[in-house]
């Protein structure tokens, strides 16, 4: 019998426990903005209506994850929760060593302490901000080698997260001795949540083999990346996502991971690799900074919740809904003539703030200006991914970032379609008056990762 087909892709879950949203007035929000020095990271979350700051650790856990918490075994050493967790990781990423950490940046800190150092060069398609900071903190250089299409907001290339293989080959030819490992971030968060193809990963693997380099994945959004491979890459359409993930893993020598993304955790991460000597060095560091190797920075109950989350995230019904609901937001904005990065990412839609507020110079922070307006007008918290985040150079100078984006990140399984319809309306109102948005200047900033704590003020008159 023919299976009836419907065009509405529904949330493949129903609501089991609810959290109230908190309403505020525009006048109150102006006050909160001033108190936060126009930095959305400095707002109190109860003053935010729809929080699209990040998809990291902000998703809803499932009934089965909450149940799994009760199985947590809090033994200091050898907890069964660790073995369950490590097996769930290896089911998808069959690396010999799995080292739990409290979140992704802890894995980065440990790995780059082992591999980085002055004079070293780490290539990546695009380093996420904490990854770049952890590379640079060792004195090493972080180099972004994404394909040219990945820097063009208007390109509709299906795999805009791909590594520029020619540029990587050139780097390995000229400075190969200084490169301790090659990184690929899936999906490419800082470049718009764009996927990397299997073919491109095979190309990176071939170069790493030729030059004798380790290949590491920054795999936060591996399931979304695999879904895009299934949808967009020739010959992949009939495969199980879990199977694609295993092939991706088979091309790498290790990974850093934030389990606050696709593994559906509110906290967690891991570092995994095949190399025994490197793993021993990393475990020794782990004991100094995180904890004993069978719990890392986590409680046993967290490990249980992540093991369950890893099973849920590769389910096709979930991924179909996830990718479709993100595209729903992107398409609606596009239909209203609002410039957005396309194709849409898996976890977020990115407004092209440089195009939207094109009366502002990148060094006047158009992304910050749009993000502040979205909060003032509609209580929506988004995240600038542009010159504020990436413009400051290690020598203290400032240059425009490749793009000035505002990320509307979608927490997993958290907001409904009417929440998203409201977000669309708010974006429409902000876009209608984008040319009136003020420039911003930074009045105080830290030396690194300035976007978290910098103080801003609008430039008036
Ligand atoms: N790598 C990527 C690609 C990320 O997106 C993140 C975090 C990390 C590493 C670090 O992981 O937060 O667990 O320490 N991204 C979040 C975001 C914070 O909002 O995109 P973490």
């Amino acid at each position: 019998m023919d299976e009836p087909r419907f065009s509405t892709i529904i949330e493949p879950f129903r609501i089991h426990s609810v959290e109230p949203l908190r309403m505020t007035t525009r006048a109150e929000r102006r006050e909160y903005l001033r108190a936060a020095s126009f930095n959305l990271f400095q707002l109190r979350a109860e003053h935010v209506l729809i929080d699209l700051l990040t998809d990291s650790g902000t998703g809803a856990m499932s009934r089965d994850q909450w149940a799994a918490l009760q199985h947590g075994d809090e033994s200091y050493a050898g907890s069964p929760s660790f073995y369950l967790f490590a097996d769930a990781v290896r089911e998808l990423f069959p690396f010999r060593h799995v080292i739990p950490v409290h979140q992704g940046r802890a894995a980065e800190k440990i790995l780059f302490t082992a591999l980085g150092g002055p004079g070293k060069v780490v290539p990546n398609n695009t380093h996420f901000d904490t990854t770049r900071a952890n590379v640079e903190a060792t004195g090493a250089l972080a180099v972004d080698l994404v394909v040219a299409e990945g820097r063009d907001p208007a390109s509709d290339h299906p795999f805009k997260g791909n590594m520029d293989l020619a540029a990587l080959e050139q780097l390995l030819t000229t400075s190969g001795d200084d490169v301790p490992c090659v990184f690929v971030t899936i999906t490419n968060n800082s470049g718009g949540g764009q996927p990397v193809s299997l073919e491109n990963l095979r190309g990176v693997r071939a170069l790493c083999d030729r030059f004798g380099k380790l290949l590491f994945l920054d795999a936060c959004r591996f399931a979304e990346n695999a879904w895009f491979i299934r949808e967009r890459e020739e010959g992949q359409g009939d495969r199980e996502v879990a199977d694609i993930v295993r092939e991706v893993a088979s091309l790498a020598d290790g990974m850093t991971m934030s389990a606050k993304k696709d593994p559906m955790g509110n906290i967690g991460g891991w570092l995994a690799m095949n190399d025994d000597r490197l793993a021993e060095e990393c475990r020794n560091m782990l004991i100094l900074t995180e904890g004993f190797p069978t719990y890392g920075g986590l409680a046993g109950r967290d490990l249980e919740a992540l093991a369950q989350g890893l099973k849920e995230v590769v389910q096709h019904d979930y991924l179909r809904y996830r990718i479709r609901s993100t595209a729903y937001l992107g398409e609606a904005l596009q239909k209203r003539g609002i410039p957005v990065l396309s194709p849409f990412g898996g976890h977020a839609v990115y407004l092209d703030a440089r195009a939207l507020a094109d009366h502002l110079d990148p060094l006047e922070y158009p992304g910050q200006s749009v993000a502040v307006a979205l909060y003032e007008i509609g209580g929506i918290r988004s995240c600038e991914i542009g010159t504020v985040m990436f413009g400051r150079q290690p020598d203290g100078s400032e240059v425009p970032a490749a793009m000035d984006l505002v990320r509307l990140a979608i927490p997993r399984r958290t907001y409904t379609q009417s929440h998203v319809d409201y977000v669309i309306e708010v974006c429409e109102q902000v876009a209608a008056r984008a040319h009136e948005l003020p420039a911003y200047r930074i009045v105080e900033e830290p030396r690194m990762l300035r976007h978290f704590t910098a103080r801003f003020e609008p430039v008036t008159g």
Side-chain angles (χ1 to χ4, degrees):
M1 221 185 320
D2 279 352
E3 193 58 27
R5 295 178 69 88
F6 302 98
S7 60
T8 308
I9 293 175
I10 63 168
E11 289 84 354
F13 49 80
R14 57 185 181 183
I15 292 166
H16 172 261
S17 154
V18 299
E19 247 185 297
L21 287 181
R22 295 152 297 208
M23 306 289 178
T24 51
T25 63
R26 182 174 183 183
E28 286 168 341
R29 291 192 293 272
R30 286 173 77 104
E31 208 34 60
Y32 299 144
L33 278 169
R34 248 190 302 277
S37 301
F38 299 92
N39 185 330
L40 303 181
F41 283 99
Q42 299 300 317
L43 287 172
R44 294 177 66 133
E46 67 253 41
H47 298 154
V48 174
L49 180 62
I50 307 272
D51 205 344
L52 307 184
L53 182 68
T54 178
D55 64 320
S56 179
T58 52
M61 289 214 297
S62 67
R63 174 196 63 190
D64 293 341
Q65 284 183 287
W66 287 107
L69 291 179
Q70 291 290 342
H71 289 271
D73 180 308
E74 306 302 343
S75 303
Y76 187 93
S79 161
S81 301
F82 167 72
Y83 293 102
L84 185 86
F85 162 80
D87 286 348
V89 171
R90 282 202 198 94
E91 175 68 23
L92 294 168
F93 302 97
F95 294 117
R96 203 153 42 233
H97 303 279
V98 176
I99 301 171
V101 295
H102 81 278
Q103 65 182 90
R105 66 200 71 183
E108 294 164 359
K109 166 81 179 156
I110 289 171
L111 185 70
F112 293 124
T113 303
L115 293 180
K120 298 280 173 62
V121 181
V122 179
N124 197 325
N125 45 352
T126 311
H127 289 84
F128 180 66
D129 57 357
T130 61
T131 323
R132 169 172 289 277
N134 271 306
V135 169
E136 289 173 352
T138 72
L141 191 66
V143 182
D144 293 341
L145 298 179
V146 74
V147 290
E149 291 89 340
R151 293 198 181 88
D152 174 5
S155 160
D156 61 358
H157 190 283
F159 291 102
K160 287 169 82 169
N162 280 353
M163 182 79 93
D164 182 335
L165 296 177
L168 179 61
E169 182 175 7
Q170 192 182 0
L171 178 80
L172 291 171
T173 306
T174 53
S175 340
D177 290 349
D178 302 330
V179 174
C181 63
V182 174
F183 252 78
V184 179
T185 304
I186 57 172
T187 57
N188 186 22
N189 183 14
S190 306
Q194 301 293 325
V196 177
S197 71
L198 260 180
E199 188 191 8
N200 187 255
L201 278 165
R202 289 192 197 107
V204 177
R205 174 75 264 168
L207 284 171
C208 287
D209 284 343
R210 203 172 111 206
F211 289 89
K213 299 298 168 195
L214 294 171
L215 171 54
F216 269 77
L217 302 170
D218 175 346
C220 299
R221 299 174 182 87
F222 67 93
E224 293 172 7
N225 198 84
W227 183 261
F228 284 125
I229 288 175
R230 186 178 188 273
E231 296 264 285
R232 297 181 186 170
E233 193 160 350
E234 213 182 309
Q236 303 300 320
D238 293 328
R239 289 180 76 181
E240 282 292 316
V241 160
D243 190 40
I244 295 174
V245 174
R246 278 187 286 270
E247 183 174 349
V248 166
S250 75
L251 294 167
D253 300 297
M255 67 193 294
T256 56
M257 185 70 188
S258 169
K260 301 171 73 172
K261 281 82 170 178
D262 274 352
M264 309 274 199
N266 297 126
I267 194 73
W270 67 84
L271 178 58
M273 65 198 70
N274 287 328
D275 188 279
D276 297 335
R277 280 231 331 255
L278 182 60
E280 191 187 337
E281 201 179 335
C282 290
R283 279 205 187 92
N284 289 337
M285 213 106 62
L286 181 87
I287 293 173
L288 288 183
T289 59
E290 292 279 294
F292 190 75
T294 59
Y295 69 86
L298 295 167
R301 57 178 169 269
D302 299 324
L303 296 168
E304 296 268 347
L306 295 177
Q308 176 60 26
L310 281 171
K311 294 196 177 78
E312 295 174 9
V313 75
V314 291
Q315 289 172 9
H316 289 196
D317 283 346
Y318 162 73
L319 284 166
R320 186 174 294 113
Y321 141 78
R322 171 74 174 158
I323 301 302
R324 180 62 215 140
S325 57
T326 304
Y328 173 83
L329 170 60
E331 283 166 13
L333 297 177
Q334 216 166 33
K335 219 178 321 169
R336 287 161 179 76
I338 300 171
V340 287
L341 197 70
S342 69
F344 311 119
H347 68 297
V349 172
Y350 295 67
L351 304 178
D352 182 353
R354 198 175 283 175
L356 192 59
D358 60 4
H359 60 298
L360 299 178
D361 185 82
L363 297 179
E364 295 177 319
Y365 311 130
Q368 187 66 20
S369 190
V370 170
V372 167
L374 289 171
Y375 176 72
E376 183 187 321
I377 298 297
I380 296 169
R381 179 155 65 170
S382 57
C383 184
E384 192 264 10
I385 301 209
T387 303
V388 172
M389 191 180 272
F390 295 116
R392 194 188 149 111
Q393 304 302 295
D395 67 3
S397 65
E398 189 168 29
V399 297
M403 297 186 274
D404 277 295
L405 305 174
V406 171
R407 185 182 73 172
L408 305 170
I410 318 290
R412 292 169 183 75
R413 307 188 290 205
T414 302
Y415 291 114
T416 65
Q417 186 166 341
S418 51
H419 292 130
V420 173
D421 287 336
Y422 169 83
V423 171
I424 293 163
E425 264 192 77
V426 175
C427 289
E428 204 172 5
Q429 287 202 22
V430 169
R433 299 185 37 212
H435 285 108
E436 296 163 27
L437 294 178
Y440 278 81
R441 78 162 74 93
I442 292 179
V443 289
E444 202 183 309
E445 66 179 17
R447 214 165 45 78
M448 276 166 62
L449 295 174
R450 65 178 181 179
H451 51 289
F452 292 129
T453 54
R455 287 153 44 81
F456 299 86
E457 68 187 19
V459 180
T460 47

